[in-house]
Coordinates of all heavy atoms in Angstrom, one line a residue:
Chain O
R11 N 10.5 -21.5 16.8 CA 11.0 -20.4 17.8 C 10.4 -20.7 19.1 O 9.3 -20.9 19.4 CB 10.4 -19.1 17.3 CG 10.7 -17.9 18.1 CD 12.2 -17.4 18.0 NE 12.5 -16.2 18.8 CZ 13.2 -16.2 19.9 NH1 13.6 -17.3 20.4 NH2 13.5 -15.1 20.6
F13 N 10.3 -19.7 23.3 CA 10.5 -18.6 24.4 C 10.6 -19.4 25.7 O 9.4 -19.8 26.2 CB 9.4 -17.5 24.5 CG 9.3 -16.7 23.1 CD1 8.3 -16.9 22.3 CD2 10.4 -15.7 22.8 CE1 8.3 -16.2 21.1 CE2 10.3 -15.1 21.8 CZ 9.3 -15.2 20.9
F16 N 8.4 -22.5 26.2 CA 7.2 -22.4 25.3 C 7.5 -22.4 23.9 O 8.5 -21.6 23.5 CB 6.5 -21.2 25.8 CG 5.2 -20.8 25.0 CD1 4.1 -21.6 25.2 CD2 5.2 -19.9 23.9 CE1 2.9 -21.3 24.5 CE2 4.1 -19.6 23.3 CZ 2.9 -20.4 23.6
V17 N 7.0 -23.2 23.1 CA 7.2 -23.3 21.7 C 6.2 -22.4 20.9 O 5.0 -22.8 20.9 CB 7.2 -24.7 21.2 CG1 7.6 -24.7 19.7 CG2 8.1 -25.6 22.0
A18 N 6.7 -21.2 20.6 CA 5.7 -20.3 19.9 C 5.5 -20.5 18.5 O 4.4 -20.4 17.9 CB 6.2 -18.8 20.1
V19 N 6.5 -21.1 17.8 CA 6.4 -21.5 16.4 C 7.0 -22.8 16.3 O 8.2 -23.0 16.7 CB 7.0 -20.5 15.5 CG1 7.1 -21.0 14.0 CG2 6.4 -19.1 15.6
G36 N -5.1 -17.3 12.4 CA -5.2 -18.2 13.6 C -5.6 -17.5 15.0 O -5.6 -16.2 14.9
P37 N -6.0 -18.1 15.9 CA -6.4 -17.5 17.2 C -5.3 -16.7 17.8 O -4.1 -16.9 17.5 CB -6.8 -18.6 18.0 CG -6.2 -19.8 17.5 CD -6.0 -19.6 16.1
S38 N -5.6 -15.8 18.7 CA -4.6 -15.0 19.4 C -3.6 -16.0 20.1 O -3.9 -16.9 20.7 CB -5.3 -14.2 20.5 OG -4.5 -13.2 21.0
G39 N -2.3 -15.6 20.0 CA -1.2 -16.3 20.6 C -0.7 -17.5 19.9 O 0.0 -18.3 20.4
C40 N -1.1 -17.7 18.7 CA -0.8 -18.9 17.9 C 0.6 -18.8 17.2 O 1.1 -19.7 16.5 CB -1.8 -19.3 17.0 SG -2.0 -18.2 15.5
G41 N 1.2 -17.5 17.3 CA 2.6 -17.4 16.7 C 2.6 -16.6 15.4 O 3.6 -16.6 14.8
K42 N 1.5 -16.0 15.0 CA 1.5 -15.2 13.7 C 2.5 -14.1 13.7 O 3.4 -14.0 12.8 CB 0.0 -14.7 13.4 CG -1.0 -15.7 13.6 CD -2.4 -15.1 13.2 CE -2.8 -14.1 14.3 NZ -3.3 -14.6 15.6
T43 N 2.4 -13.2 14.7 CA 3.3 -12.1 14.8 C 4.8 -12.6 14.9 O 5.7 -12.0 14.3 CB 3.0 -11.2 16.1 OG1 1.7 -10.8 15.9 CG2 3.9 -10.1 16.1
T44 N 5.0 -13.6 15.5 CA 6.4 -14.2 15.7 C 6.9 -14.6 14.4 O 8.1 -14.3 14.1 CB 6.3 -15.3 16.7 OG1 5.7 -14.9 17.9 CG2 7.7 -15.8 17.1
I45 N 6.1 -15.2 13.6 CA 6.6 -15.6 12.3 C 6.9 -14.3 11.4 O 7.9 -14.2 10.7 CB 5.4 -16.4 11.6 CG1 5.3 -17.8 12.2 CG2 5.8 -16.6 10.1 CD1 4.4 -18.7 11.6
D53 N 13.4 -10.9 14.8 CA 13.5 -12.1 15.6 C 14.2 -13.1 14.7 O 14.0 -13.1 13.6 CB 12.2 -12.5 16.1 CG 12.2 -13.2 17.4 OD1 13.3 -13.6 17.8 OD2 11.1 -13.6 17.9
Q82 N 0.6 -2.9 13.2 CA -0.7 -2.7 13.6 C -1.0 -1.3 14.2 O -2.0 -0.8 13.9 CB -1.0 -3.8 14.7 CG -2.5 -3.6 15.2 CD -3.0 -4.8 16.0 OE1 -2.3 -5.7 16.3 NE2 -4.3 -4.8 16.4
D158 N 0.7 -6.8 9.7 CA 0.2 -7.4 10.9 C -1.1 -6.8 11.4 O -1.1 -5.7 12.0 CB 1.3 -7.3 12.1 CG 1.1 -8.2 13.2 OD1 0.0 -8.7 13.2 OD2 2.0 -8.3 14.0
E159 N -2.2 -7.5 11.3 CA -3.6 -7.1 11.6 C -3.6 -5.6 11.2 O -4.0 -4.8 12.1 CB -3.7 -7.4 13.1 CG -3.5 -8.7 13.4 CD -4.2 -9.3 14.6 OE1 -5.2 -8.7 14.8 OE2 -3.9 -10.3 15.1
V190 N -1.4 -10.8 8.3 CA -1.8 -11.6 9.4 C -3.1 -11.1 10.0 O -3.3 -9.9 10.0 CB -0.6 -11.4 10.5 CG1 -1.1 -11.6 11.9 CG2 0.5 -12.3 10.2
T191 N -3.9 -12.0 10.5 CA -5.2 -11.6 11.0 C -5.8 -12.8 11.8 O -5.4 -13.9 11.7 CB -6.2 -11.2 9.9 OG1 -7.4 -10.8 10.5 CG2 -6.6 -12.4 9.0
H192 N -6.6 -12.4 12.7 CA -7.3 -13.5 13.4 C -8.8 -13.5 13.1 O -9.6 -14.1 13.6 CB -7.1 -13.5 14.9 CG -7.5 -12.2 15.6 ND1 -6.6 -11.4 16.2 CD2 -8.8 -11.7 15.7 CE1 -7.3 -10.4 16.7 NE2 -8.5 -10.5 16.4
Ligands
ATP401 N1 9.3 -11.9 23.4 C1 8.6 -12.9 23.9 N2 8.8 -13.5 25.1 C2 8.1 -14.6 25.5 N3 7.0 -15.0 25.0 C3 6.7 -14.4 23.8 C4 7.4 -13.4 23.1 N4 6.8 -13.1 22.0 C5 5.7 -13.9 21.9 N5 5.6 -14.6 23.0 C6 4.6 -15.8 23.1 O1 4.5 -16.5 21.9 C7 3.2 -16.7 21.6 C8 2.9 -16.3 20.2 O2 2.9 -14.9 20.2 P1 2.5 -14.1 18.8 O3 2.7 -12.6 19.2 O4 3.3 -14.6 17.8 O5 1.0 -14.4 18.7 P2 -0.1 -13.9 17.7 O6 -0.5 -15.1 16.9 O7 0.5 -12.9 16.9 O8 -1.3 -13.5 18.5 P3 -2.3 -12.2 18.4 O9 -3.3 -12.5 17.4 O10 -2.8 -12.0 19.9 O11 -1.4 -11.0 17.9 C9 2.3 -16.0 22.6 O12 1.9 -17.0 23.5 C10 3.3 -15.0 23.3 O13 3.0 -15.0 24.7

Side-chain angles (χ1 to χ4, degrees):
Chain O
R11 178 75 174 103
F13 297 108
F16 179 77
V17 186
V19 176
S38 188
C40 70
K42 306 181 295 287
T43 298
T44 308
I45 291 183
D53 203 352
Q82 176 164 9
D158 193 351
E159 307 207 18
V190 157
T191 183
H192 58 244

